[in-house]
Amino acid sequence: MYAVLLFAVLGGLYALLYYCNHKTPLPEGCENLKAECSGCKDIGCANHPAHDA
């Protein structure tokens, strides 16, 4: 019973934090990072030009 209650509390907390993060506006200058990205050595970055191909 405690495990189900704990899971429900953690799930609710996750949902609340996800919602709050989604509602937070982007800082100035961070609206379109892909246009300014010239590439770095981090190929896993979503903004890396290698993903444009």
Side-chain angles (χ1 to χ4, degrees):
M1 180 69 176
Y2 290 118
V4 173
L5 182 62
L6 179 63
F7 181 73
V9 168
L10 289 176
L13 183 62
Y14 175 80
L16 176 68
L17 292 174
Y18 183 83
Y19 173 76
C20 290
N21 188 37
H22 182 71
K23 297 288 283 184
T24 303
L26 291 173
E28 275 187 44
C30 294
E31 291 84 11
N32 189 4
L33 292 177
K34 198 161 192 96
E36 297 176 6
C37 181
S38 60
C40 61
K41 296 181 191 283
D42 185 8
I43 193 80
C45 177
N47 293 326
H48 195 279
H51 297 291
D52 293 338

